[in-house]
Amino acid sequence: VVQVARLRPEVVGDEVGSAVARLELVEFLLQSDDLAACAQRAVEWLGDNAGVEQAICAAVVTDASRMHGVAGQGVSSARTGEFVVDLADLDHPLTVAAAAAGPSYFSAHDQRLLTPISGSSFHNLPLRSRALNGGTSVGLLLVSGRGRVPGPDVRWCAELLGEKLARLRARQLLSDAEGRFGRERRLLYSIINAVTDPIMLTDTEGKLIIANARAEKLFSAPDDATEGRRRAVALNNMLFSATLSSGSMGEGARLRELPLVDPIDGSDLLFEHLVSVVRDPREGSCVVSILRNVTDLGRAKEQLEENYRKLRLAEAEVRGERHRLELIIDSVADPILVTDPAGDIVLMNTPAETLFTVGPNQSDAVQRRVRANDAHFSSFVSNLLFSGSQERWRGEIGLVDPQVGKAMPVEAIAGKMLSETGELTAVVTILHDRTEAQENARLYDQVKRASGELQAKVQDATAELAEQNELLRRQAIELEQASALKSQFLANMSHEFRTPLNAILGYTSMLVQGVAGSLSAHQKKGMNRVDSNARHLLALINDILDITRIEAGRMPLHLSDFDLKDLLAEVMSELEPIIARSKITVSVQLSNRLPEMRSDRKKVKQILVNLLSNALKFTPRGTISIRADMRARRVEVAVADTGIGISPADQEKVFEDFRQLDSSPARAHGGTGLGLSICRRLASMLGGRITLQSAPGQGSTFTLHLPCRLRRK
Ligand code: ADP
């Protein structure tokens, strides 16, 4: 029909002509994608076929918030080009009309409008597609002409044009979106390629969708790649798929370790594989893998762990050391402090704490003293720190006992502790309380002074003593000489005495025997007196002679073996007349253990005679017993009487020369007072001694102790 109508318009009627015109418009619009051309063709069609006098088409060209005039009919093209509808102005009548469901009418008197169709009323038809663009208008068609209501041709054309403009708009939007998508995709690629970590997007089976350049190096090989690289890539893909398939593909990211091979140099690599599953309702799920190279990190971690383990061992050792050190320094009674190179105290033992720390609730005074101690100590340590190369420092610090405020002078010895590199690590200081030492020094001085004085006195006394000794020595020599002279004199004199005495005794005896004629009783009595006095004198002289002989060392010893029993029998028979006269019982008890003796028989007899005659003399009545026994290789002969006895005060005196306890002229007993003195001397010569036990009125026991067998010296 269209072909016929085109070739032979005269043969077709009005209706057919109208249909043909419509077809031609449709055909044009189908063929053209030019928005302005389509709109122009449509408004012209309206002028030709629908009785429209003025028409203008505005459409959204690029900016969705505006419509521009794109075609006009019965208006100048310049005015058409200037026509703009601002869709953002929601109160504008044309904006309202654009949103309306159907045509709107605008009177010619409507002052709000400024359109190319000026001076006459017009209709506005919104141009839109029912199916596309969500029913939003993509253009406006303003028409004026005959009749108030736009006819069916106008409506048809508006619908057709609306459909066409909507399609063009949709296509334009699509191409805009494609362009934008392309730009975004390129941007995304450049971003993920800029990331140095391999990044991959795979489907859930592990098929690669997107990979960045770094991932491609690991997981794909170019066609000309070496066999080794190809194998490494294949191995990497296998390992990668294996980690993907291990474990379920749950939501959220998971971290795994992924060992791979570097396809370029074949070295081992270790990656951290961060897997996150992205779920898309339309595309399905895919997996994003981000690999982080932790090869160096792994080695560093191992090294770090090893170092950490060593560190902990070292730390434990140091802690042990420190503990031991603390035990040691705490067990030291002297305060010990350790300071760091800055001079701050880092360690101290208990004695140091009492000087340098303040406990809770301490008085102001205590706190002040501790601060003062601290200041003194710090200045001491800084001396060492500023002393350069000197490693030890010794000095005195005047501290104070914080509790009682007593001055406490201390000797401080500090030493530097250096590291292997010679760096100063600490200063150790030991304080030693000097109070006692100072007190001792003071006492020592005193003692020294006193000792000096004493020494001087001793020297003086010694000198004096030496002088006296010398004097005594001289006196002793003089005395010895005098004694020797005396003994000599006595010996001589005794001899000289004895000769005339013997003559007196001889002549007296002859006279008494009547050699010169018989004597009267009176004369005989006188002669007897002479005889007895002469005998006494002779006995005295004999005694003196004995003593002087002993003292002068001229009494000889005559040793012989003899029987003590025989000797005692002799003593008894010698004193028999006296015993008989005295009417005293004398008993002799001899032990049968008595051995044969070796000694000077005559002298032993002399001693025993003397002891027994004394006992007889000083025992007015009672008994006398003589006991001889053997004790510890010594012979003991005791002469015990029941006589007058001797007081303890006199017991030593009886052994002195010429000593008689009763020295009065009217004394009852005779004697020289030399007997016991001679006995003691003789006993001593024989290697023995005489002991005495006595009490006044209870008798006396004189005991002679002698060695059994005397050896000559
Ligand atoms: P005398 O020749 O006087 O006896 P002695 O030396 O033998 O000298 O004795 C000294 C004194 O010791 C005596 O005078 C006497 O006083 C005292 N004496 C000695 N033996 C005894 C004794 N057995 N009992 C009491 N007194 C004694």
Side-chain angles (χ1 to χ4, degrees):
V1 173
V2 173
Q3 286 298 324
V4 171
R6 269 191 200 144
L7 296 170
R8 314 255 322 259
E10 68 280 0
V11 298
V12 295
D14 275 357
E15 242 171 83
V16 174
S18 150
V20 168
R22 283 192 180 193
L23 273 174
E24 281 177 345
L25 179 60
V26 169
E27 204 174 20
F28 184 84
L29 293 184
L30 279 173
Q31 282 170 4
S32 175
D33 283 338
D34 185 337
L35 182 140
C38 288
Q40 190 59 42
R41 184 77 174 81
V43 293
E44 280 172 10
W45 188 88
L46 286 173
D48 293 345
N49 299 291
V52 170
E53 286 167 358
Q54 285 186 312
I56 188 158
C57 176
V60 173
V61 182
T62 49
D63 185 353
S65 66
R66 282 160 188 274
M67 289 183 185
H68 292 272
V70 289
Q73 163 68 23
V75 290
S76 74
S77 59
R79 292 198 64 195
T80 304
E82 287 166 3
F83 179 53
V84 176
V85 178
D86 185 0
L87 296 174
D89 182 2
L90 295 174
D91 294 333
H92 195 279
L94 284 178
T95 308
V96 176
S104 312
Y105 173 74
F106 292 89
S107 145
H109 308 293
D110 199 331
Q111 292 300 314
R112 293 174 302 162
L113 292 167
L114 196 67
T115 69
I117 308 170
S118 54
S120 62
S121 54
F122 65 90
H123 284 87
N124 175 51
L125 292 95
L127 299 177
R128 60 166 74 99
S129 161
R130 282 197 199 90
L132 296 176
N133 302 111
T136 314
S137 294
V138 290
L140 290 176
L141 185 62
L142 279 57
V143 290
S144 73
R146 295 174 301 276
R148 282 179 64 90
V149 182
D153 287 330
V154 175
R155 285 173 185 271
W156 174 82
C157 183
E159 262 177 41
L160 187 66
L161 187 58
E163 207 68 41
K164 180 66 185 179
L165 290 187
R167 261 169 222 285
L168 288 175
R169 176 73 187 145
R171 192 182 294 168
Q172 190 198 358
L173 286 174
L174 189 67
S175 91
D176 285 355
E178 273 177 353
R180 212 168 45 246
F181 178 69
R183 278 197 307 282
E184 282 172 2
R185 190 181 166 87
R186 279 193 299 282
L187 192 64
L188 192 69
Y189 267 103
S190 55
I191 289 170
I192 67 166
N193 278 333
V195 176
T196 52
D197 291 338
I199 297 175
M200 282 177 293
L201 183 69
T202 51
D203 64 14
T204 46
E205 264 79 57
K207 216 175 113 229
L208 195 67
I209 302 169
I210 302 170
N212 71 349
R214 184 77 188 93
E216 271 177 1
K217 273 190 189 148
L218 287 168
F219 296 102
S220 63
D223 293 342
D224 57 349
T226 61
E227 184 56 30
R229 186 166 172 184
R230 247 189 264 279
R231 259 199 231 127
V233 165
L235 179 66
N236 284 350
N237 278 301
M238 210 174 72
L239 291 165
F240 177 70
S241 305
T243 44
L244 272 192
S245 58
S246 70
S248 65
M249 289 291 172
E251 292 293 334
R254 286 188 315 283
L255 202 63
R256 293 163 193 182
E257 277 203 343
L258 176 60
L260 295 177
V261 178
D262 189 333
I264 310 293
D265 61 12
S267 63
D268 287 335
L269 299 173
L270 183 67
F271 286 87
E272 241 173 37
H273 184 186
L274 183 75
V275 186
S276 51
V277 177
V278 181
R279 295 201 191 282
D280 189 294
R282 276 185 300 176
E283 300 286 332
S285 295
C286 53
V287 181
V288 178
S289 296
I290 300 171
L291 304 182
R292 195 147 62 91
N293 192 340
V294 292
T295 315
D296 292 339
L297 203 67
R299 284 193 206 116
K301 197 175 139 198
E302 271 172 26
Q303 189 64 42
L304 208 66
E305 275 170 5
E306 176 63 17
N307 286 348
Y308 181 64
R309 197 182 60 77
K310 282 186 188 160
L311 194 71
R312 285 195 33 200
L313 279 178
E315 194 192 44
E317 213 165 287
V318 168
R319 218 181 298 126
E321 269 306 307
R322 192 188 161 104
H323 182 63
R324 277 197 290 282
L325 189 73
E326 279 174 353
L327 277 183
I328 291 168
I329 71 167
D330 271 342
S331 66
V332 175
D334 284 339
I336 299 178
L337 297 107
V338 180
T339 35
D340 64 13
D344 293 328
I345 298 172
V346 291
L347 185 72
M348 62 174 111
N349 65 353
T350 317
E353 276 175 7
T354 59
L355 292 171
F356 296 99
T357 58
V358 186
N361 310 325
Q362 293 284 16
S363 68
D364 286 352
V366 171
Q367 294 186 14
R368 211 170 40 247
R369 288 169 195 146
V370 166
R371 276 200 299 277
N373 283 349
D374 205 40
H376 283 123
F377 176 69
S378 297
S379 104
F380 171 78
V381 171
S382 46
N383 277 338
L384 176 64
L385 292 176
F386 293 128
S387 69
S389 61
Q390 196 166 343
E391 288 206 354
R392 284 189 184 281
W393 191 265
R394 184 187 282 263
E396 293 252 339
I397 312 180
L399 298 181
V400 175
D401 185 334
Q403 296 304 326
V404 294
K406 200 175 119 230
M408 193 175 151
V410 296
E411 183 187 31
I413 302 165
K416 286 178 180 172
M417 284 175 72
L418 303 176
S419 70
E420 283 172 0
T421 56
E423 219 176 308
L424 178 68
T425 55
V427 175
V428 180
T429 310
I430 301 175
L431 306 178
H432 183 66
D433 190 350
R434 298 269 305 138
T435 317
E436 204 175 315
Q438 285 186 350
E439 180 63 16
N440 285 347
R442 199 179 59 77
L443 288 176
Y444 177 73
D445 274 354
Q446 271 184 6
V447 168
K448 209 168 139 189
R449 221 176 310 124
S451 138
E453 285 167 11
L454 198 69
Q455 206 174 344
K457 280 182 186 163
V458 167
Q459 270 173 357
D460 290 351
T462 313
E464 205 175 309
L465 211 63
E467 218 170 275
Q468 282 179 359
N469 272 350
E470 182 55 28
L471 204 65
L472 282 173
R473 198 180 61 83
R474 278 199 215 120
Q475 283 175 350
I477 293 169
E478 280 168 16
L479 274 175
E480 219 169 272
Q481 285 170 350
S483 169
L485 282 176
K486 179 200 82 182
S487 298
Q488 189 60 49
F489 168 77
L490 282 174
N492 292 344
M493 286 309 289
S494 303
H495 185 71
E496 293 305 319
F497 282 147
R498 272 204 297 192
T499 316
L501 258 180
N502 280 326
I504 291 170
L505 281 171
Y507 280 104
T508 310
S509 169
M510 283 191 323
L511 287 173
V512 169
Q513 285 167 17
V515 174
S518 57
L519 297 177
S520 66
H522 186 70
Q523 285 170 327
K524 217 173 198 176
K525 199 178 168 195
M527 272 317 195
N528 279 336
R529 282 239 173 103
V530 171
D531 182 72
S532 101
N533 277 297
R535 280 182 198 283
H536 178 73
L537 192 58
L538 183 63
L540 188 64
I541 288 168
N542 280 335
D543 282 354
I544 289 173
L545 196 61
D546 276 355
I547 286 183
T548 49
R549 269 206 207 124
I550 293 167
E551 279 184 352
R554 291 215 302 256
M555 175 75 93
L557 271 183
H558 301 287
L559 296 187
S560 62
D561 294 336
F562 59 92
D563 193 358
L564 189 61
K565 196 172 144 197
D566 298 344
L567 184 95
L568 281 169
E570 254 178 60
V571 170
M572 286 291 285
S573 73
E574 200 159 302
L575 294 178
E576 180 55 42
I578 305 172
I579 296 169
R581 266 206 310 274
S582 68
K583 300 174 196 137
I584 284 174
T585 325
V586 178
S587 63
V588 178
Q589 292 150 33
L590 296 171
S591 162
N592 48 16
R593 295 183 298 169
L594 285 176
E596 192 187 42
M597 279 192 73
R598 180 171 180 77
S599 196
D600 188 321
R601 194 174 191 280
K602 211 177 143 201
K603 292 188 175 76
V604 176
K605 185 180 165 189
Q606 190 181 340
I607 294 168
L608 290 176
V609 167
N610 204 308
L611 292 181
L612 183 55
S613 55
N614 274 355
L616 287 164
K617 251 197 273 181
F618 300 104
T619 309
R621 64 194 145 275
T623 54
I624 295 173
S625 71
I626 299 170
R627 294 186 296 273
D629 202 351
M630 169 87 182
R631 200 159 290 162
R633 300 177 60 76
R634 288 173 90 83
V635 171
E636 288 180 6
V637 185
V639 180
D641 62 56
T642 55
I644 60 172
I646 305 164
S647 72
D650 292 331
Q651 284 177 11
E652 194 49 41
K653 289 180 186 161
V654 296
F655 291 99
E656 290 171 8
D657 293 347
F658 302 107
R659 179 65 84 161
Q660 290 174 316
L661 293 181
D662 182 3
S663 53
S664 62
R667 63 197 157 97
H669 313 286
T672 60
L674 287 173
L676 284 177
S677 166
I678 292 169
C679 285
R680 177 170 266 189
R681 282 179 166 90
L682 290 175
S684 168
M685 275 182 77
L686 299 175
R689 63 198 167 98
I690 295 172
T691 56
L692 167 61
Q693 281 173 325
S694 181
Q698 290 179 22
S700 312
T701 303
F702 285 85
T703 310
L704 171 64
H705 307 260
L706 286 176
C708 287
R709 301 191 72 76
L710 179 66
R711 285 188 196 94
R712 195 176 285 280
K713 281 175 197 150

